[in-house]
Amino acid sequence: SYELTQPPSVSVSPGQTARITCSGDALPKKYAYWYQQKSGQAPVLVIYEDSKRPSGIPERFSGSSSGTMATLTISGAQVEDEADYYCYSTDSSGNYVFGTGTKVTVL
Amino acid sequence: EVQLVESGGGLVQPGGSLRLSCAVSGFIVSSNYMTWVRQAPGKGLEWVSVIYSGGSTYYADSVKGRFTISRDNSKNTLYLEMNSLRVEDTAVYYCARDSAALKDWGQGTLVTVSS
């Protein structure tokens, strides 16, 4: 089955830049979406269609995609950005899949 | 205001059945793609199923043949019928609007499969 691979954890100091990668064979042809999930809460969409930011999401969140890798960048990370982040996309059959998830620590 | 409210979760024995509901207000379920996502305790998110506005349905391999997604247009409600439940189906189940850009989510309902 199709897999989207993310690093288990990323640590960043406040004000620095965090980059979270998502690797998948279908990403050259399929959009990537990114979700933030804080403890005990439902996920929140932070990036859609590789690089678009929904209204209400801070500008420090950005996305990009090249080849088989999509990247979520948090520029000037804040303490409140500490959360689990998941990429999300489709395989060639149209089934959806979440990435393995990355725990971002800001300290 | 958009609201999605899941219900129907609970404790069920292995092999049992459960039907989850997702009551929606603020938009029309039948005009939108709707998705179920689950999260096992301490684990990551897992896509479960989607129903498109035209009625087509798709399922994760892990639930195919056991779960059925449906909707009731008169009640503006989404459902997930779960049969032959397994211990590994234990999770919080979320409903969400759309299929990819899931901008609106419910608060989730916990399903526990245990003897």
Side-chain angles (χ1 to χ4, degrees), chain A residues 48-100:
Chain A
Y48 66 101
E49 294 180 358
D50 291 344
S51 58
K52 299 176 182 177
R53 194 172 51 249
S55 60
I57 300 300
E59 291 184 7
R60 61 180 180 273
F61 288 91
S62 63
S64 63
S65 188
S66 179
T68 60
M69 186 168 289
T71 303
L72 173 68
T73 301
I74 309 173
S75 303
Q78 305 295 308
V79 172
E80 59 263 32
D81 299 332
E82 197 162 279
D84 294 325
Y85 290 83
Y86 297 89
C87 60
Y88 180 64
S89 187
T90 60
D91 62 18
S92 55
S93 301
N95 291 325
Y96 291 88
V97 61
F98 282 96
T100 50

Side-chain angles (χ1 to χ4, degrees), chain A residues 1 33 35 37 41-45 48 54 86 88 93-100, chain B residues 35 37 39 43-47 50 52 58-59 61 94 99-103 105-106:
Chain A
S1 61
Y33 301 76
Y35 293 88
Q37 187 182 33
Q41 298 182 19
V44 172
L45 178 70
Y48 66 101
Y86 297 89
Y88 180 64
S93 301
N95 291 325
Y96 291 88
V97 61
F98 282 96
T100 50
Chain B
T35 296
V37 173
Q39 187 169 35
K43 302 297 184 182
L45 300 173
E46 181 184 13
W47 175 80
V50 64
Y52 292 124
Y58 296 88
Y59 301 90
D61 289 343
Y94 297 98
S99 59
L102 307 174
K103 295 179 184 177
W105 294 68

Side-chain angles (χ1 to χ4, degrees), chain B residues 6-29:
Chain B
E6 301 96 337
S7 61
L11 175 63
V12 62
Q13 292 188 338
S17 299
L18 216 52
R19 187 179 79 160
L20 306 183
S21 300
C22 172
V24 170
S25 57
F27 67 91
I28 299 173
V29 166

Side-chain angles (χ1 to χ4, degrees), chain B residues 28-40:
Chain B
I28 299 173
V29 166
S30 61
S31 299
N32 286 266
Y33 298 172
M34 297 294 295
T35 296
W36 285 99
V37 173
R38 70 184 180 182
Q39 187 169 35

Side-chain angles (χ1 to χ4, degrees), chain B:
Chain B
E1 180 191 6
V2 170
Q3 268 199 319
L4 298 86
V5 179
E6 301 96 337
S7 61
L11 175 63
V12 62
Q13 292 188 338
S17 299
L18 216 52
R19 187 179 79 160
L20 306 183
S21 300
C22 172
V24 170
S25 57
F27 67 91
I28 299 173
V29 166
S30 61
S31 299
N32 286 266
Y33 298 172
M34 297 294 295
T35 296
W36 285 99
V37 173
R38 70 184 180 182
Q39 187 169 35
K43 302 297 184 182
L45 300 173
E46 181 184 13
W47 175 80
V48 173
S49 181
V50 64
I51 183 167
Y52 292 124
S53 51
S56 299
T57 59
Y58 296 88
Y59 301 90
D61 289 343
S62 58
V63 307
K64 199 173 296 182
R66 301 187 300 122
F67 289 12
T68 302
I69 189 172
S70 64
R71 64 193 181 204
D72 184 328
N73 297 344
S74 67
K75 296 182 178 179
N76 210 36
T77 298
L78 177 74
Y79 299 101
L80 186 68
E81 184 78 36
M82 305 185 296
N83 297 317
S84 303
L85 282 162
R86 304 167 180 169
V87 171
E88 54 265 35
D89 294 319
T90 294
V92 173
Y93 285 74
Y94 297 98
C95 61
R97 178 184 185 180
D98 211 315
S99 59
L102 307 174
K103 295 179 184 177
D104 301 306
W105 294 68
Q107 83 290 348
T109 187
L110 175 63
V111 172
T112 303
V113 184
S114 175
S115 54

